[in-house]
Short mmCIF file of all heavy atoms in Angstrom, two decimals:
data_model
loop_
_atom_site.label_atom_id
_atom_site.label_comp_id
_atom_site.label_asym_id
_atom_site.label_seq_id
_atom_site.Cartn_x
_atom_site.Cartn_y
_atom_site.Cartn_z
N PHE B 128 6.14 -30.61 6.60
CA PHE B 128 7.18 -31.63 6.46
C PHE B 128 6.82 -32.86 7.29
O PHE B 128 7.06 -34.00 6.87
CB PHE B 128 8.53 -31.04 6.92
CG PHE B 128 9.69 -31.48 6.08
CD1 PHE B 128 9.52 -31.82 4.74
CD2 PHE B 128 10.97 -31.53 6.61
CE1 PHE B 128 10.61 -32.21 3.97
CE2 PHE B 128 12.06 -31.92 5.85
CZ PHE B 128 11.88 -32.27 4.52
N LEU B 129 6.22 -32.64 8.44
CA LEU B 129 5.76 -33.74 9.29
C LEU B 129 4.67 -34.52 8.56
O LEU B 129 4.68 -35.75 8.49
CB LEU B 129 5.22 -33.16 10.61
CG LEU B 129 4.60 -34.13 11.60
CD1 LEU B 129 5.59 -35.20 12.04
CD2 LEU B 129 4.11 -33.38 12.84
N SER B 130 3.75 -33.79 7.95
CA SER B 130 2.66 -34.42 7.21
C SER B 130 3.20 -35.22 6.02
O SER B 130 2.71 -36.29 5.70
CB SER B 130 1.68 -33.35 6.73
OG SER B 130 0.64 -33.93 6.00
N GLU B 131 4.23 -34.67 5.37
CA GLU B 131 4.84 -35.33 4.22
C GLU B 131 5.51 -36.64 4.63
O GLU B 131 5.46 -37.64 3.92
CB GLU B 131 5.87 -34.37 3.60
CG GLU B 131 6.43 -34.80 2.29
CD GLU B 131 7.40 -33.74 1.75
OE1 GLU B 131 7.07 -32.53 1.77
OE2 GLU B 131 8.52 -34.12 1.33
N MET B 132 6.11 -36.65 5.81
CA MET B 132 6.81 -37.86 6.28
C MET B 132 5.83 -38.94 6.71
O MET B 132 6.11 -40.13 6.58
CB MET B 132 7.75 -37.50 7.42
CG MET B 132 8.41 -38.72 8.02
SD MET B 132 9.96 -38.36 8.82
CE MET B 132 11.10 -38.28 7.48
N TYR B 133 4.66 -38.52 7.21
CA TYR B 133 3.66 -39.49 7.67
C TYR B 133 2.35 -39.23 6.92
O TYR B 133 1.36 -38.77 7.49
CB TYR B 133 3.44 -39.35 9.19
CG TYR B 133 4.72 -39.53 9.97
CD1 TYR B 133 5.38 -38.43 10.53
CD2 TYR B 133 5.30 -40.80 10.13
CE1 TYR B 133 6.56 -38.59 11.22
CE2 TYR B 133 6.49 -40.96 10.82
CZ TYR B 133 7.12 -39.85 11.36
OH TYR B 133 8.29 -40.01 12.03
N PRO B 134 2.33 -39.56 5.62
CA PRO B 134 1.20 -39.13 4.77
C PRO B 134 -0.13 -39.80 5.12
O PRO B 134 -1.17 -39.29 4.72
CB PRO B 134 1.66 -39.49 3.35
CG PRO B 134 2.73 -40.48 3.51
CD PRO B 134 3.38 -40.23 4.82
N GLU B 135 -0.10 -40.92 5.83
CA GLU B 135 -1.38 -41.57 6.20
C GLU B 135 -2.02 -40.89 7.40
O GLU B 135 -3.18 -41.15 7.72
CB GLU B 135 -1.15 -43.06 6.55
CG GLU B 135 -0.29 -43.85 5.57
CD GLU B 135 -0.88 -43.84 4.17
OE1 GLU B 135 -2.11 -43.77 4.06
OE2 GLU B 135 -0.10 -43.86 3.20
N MET B 136 -1.27 -40.10 8.08
CA MET B 136 -1.70 -39.55 9.36
C MET B 136 -2.28 -38.13 9.19
O MET B 136 -1.62 -37.27 8.60
CB MET B 136 -0.49 -39.50 10.30
CG MET B 136 -0.72 -38.89 11.66
SD MET B 136 -1.92 -39.78 12.67
CE MET B 136 -1.28 -41.46 12.65
N PRO B 137 -3.48 -37.86 9.70
CA PRO B 137 -3.95 -36.47 9.68
C PRO B 137 -3.06 -35.59 10.58
O PRO B 137 -2.90 -35.91 11.75
CB PRO B 137 -5.37 -36.56 10.26
CG PRO B 137 -5.74 -38.00 10.19
CD PRO B 137 -4.46 -38.78 10.27
N VAL B 138 -2.46 -34.58 10.00
CA VAL B 138 -1.62 -33.65 10.77
C VAL B 138 -2.32 -32.29 10.78
O VAL B 138 -2.61 -31.73 9.72
CB VAL B 138 -0.21 -33.53 10.16
CG1 VAL B 138 0.61 -32.47 10.93
CG2 VAL B 138 0.51 -34.88 10.20
N LEU B 139 -2.61 -31.79 11.95
CA LEU B 139 -3.41 -30.56 12.09
C LEU B 139 -2.55 -29.45 12.67
O LEU B 139 -1.69 -29.70 13.51
CB LEU B 139 -4.61 -30.83 13.02
CG LEU B 139 -5.44 -32.06 12.65
CD1 LEU B 139 -6.44 -32.37 13.75
CD2 LEU B 139 -6.17 -31.84 11.33
N PRO B 140 -2.78 -28.21 12.22
CA PRO B 140 -1.97 -27.10 12.73
C PRO B 140 -2.46 -26.62 14.10
O PRO B 140 -3.64 -26.34 14.26
CB PRO B 140 -2.16 -26.01 11.67
CG PRO B 140 -3.52 -26.28 11.12
CD PRO B 140 -3.74 -27.76 11.19
N GLY B 141 -1.55 -26.50 15.02
CA GLY B 141 -1.90 -25.96 16.33
C GLY B 141 -1.51 -24.50 16.48
O GLY B 141 -1.77 -23.88 17.52
N VAL B 142 -0.87 -23.96 15.45
CA VAL B 142 -0.42 -22.56 15.48
C VAL B 142 -0.72 -21.91 14.14
O VAL B 142 -0.97 -22.60 13.15
CB VAL B 142 1.11 -22.44 15.75
CG1 VAL B 142 1.48 -23.02 17.10
CG2 VAL B 142 1.91 -23.08 14.63
N ASP B 143 -0.72 -20.59 14.13
CA ASP B 143 -0.73 -19.83 12.87
C ASP B 143 0.65 -19.22 12.71
O ASP B 143 1.17 -18.60 13.65
CB ASP B 143 -1.78 -18.71 12.92
CG ASP B 143 -3.20 -19.27 12.90
OD1 ASP B 143 -3.47 -20.12 12.02
OD2 ASP B 143 -4.00 -18.88 13.76
N THR B 144 1.26 -19.43 11.54
CA THR B 144 2.61 -18.89 11.31
C THR B 144 2.49 -17.43 10.90
O THR B 144 1.77 -17.10 9.95
CB THR B 144 3.32 -19.70 10.22
OG1 THR B 144 3.34 -21.06 10.65
CG2 THR B 144 4.74 -19.21 10.02
N SER B 145 3.18 -16.56 11.61
CA SER B 145 2.98 -15.13 11.42
C SER B 145 4.01 -14.49 10.51
O SER B 145 3.67 -13.85 9.53
CB SER B 145 2.99 -14.42 12.77
OG SER B 145 2.01 -14.97 13.64
N PHE B 146 5.29 -14.61 10.85
CA PHE B 146 6.30 -13.91 10.06
C PHE B 146 7.72 -14.32 10.45
O PHE B 146 7.92 -15.05 11.42
CB PHE B 146 6.16 -12.39 10.24
CG PHE B 146 6.07 -11.91 11.67
CD1 PHE B 146 7.20 -11.84 12.47
CD2 PHE B 146 4.85 -11.54 12.22
CE1 PHE B 146 7.12 -11.39 13.78
CE2 PHE B 146 4.75 -11.09 13.53
CZ PHE B 146 5.90 -11.01 14.31
N ILE B 147 8.68 -13.82 9.64
CA ILE B 147 10.10 -13.96 9.99
C ILE B 147 10.46 -12.69 10.75
O ILE B 147 10.30 -11.58 10.22
CB ILE B 147 10.98 -14.07 8.74
CG1 ILE B 147 10.59 -15.30 7.92
CG2 ILE B 147 12.46 -14.13 9.14
CD1 ILE B 147 11.31 -15.38 6.58
N GLY B 148 10.89 -12.83 11.98
CA GLY B 148 11.10 -11.62 12.77
C GLY B 148 12.18 -11.74 13.82
O GLY B 148 13.01 -12.64 13.77
N VAL B 149 12.15 -10.78 14.70
CA VAL B 149 13.17 -10.67 15.74
C VAL B 149 12.49 -10.52 17.11
O VAL B 149 11.33 -10.16 17.19
CB VAL B 149 14.07 -9.44 15.51
CG1 VAL B 149 14.83 -9.57 14.19
CG2 VAL B 149 13.26 -8.14 15.52
N ALA B 150 13.27 -10.81 18.16
CA ALA B 150 12.76 -10.63 19.52
C ALA B 150 13.07 -9.21 19.96
O ALA B 150 14.23 -8.84 20.14
CB ALA B 150 13.43 -11.65 20.45
N GLU B 151 12.02 -8.41 20.09
CA GLU B 151 12.20 -7.02 20.53
C GLU B 151 12.49 -6.98 22.03
O GLU B 151 13.28 -6.18 22.52
CB GLU B 151 10.93 -6.20 20.27
CG GLU B 151 10.60 -5.97 18.82
CD GLU B 151 11.32 -4.77 18.24
OE1 GLU B 151 12.19 -4.20 18.93
OE2 GLU B 151 11.02 -4.42 17.08
#
Side-chain angles (χ1 to χ4, degrees):
Chain B
F128 219 28
L129 176 60
S130 179
E131 189 177 314
M132 175 155 279
Y133 303 104
E135 313 301 329
M136 177 62 53
V138 176
L139 309 170
V142 299
D143 290 311
T144 303
S145 304
F146 50 76
I147 300 173
V149 297
E151 292 275 8

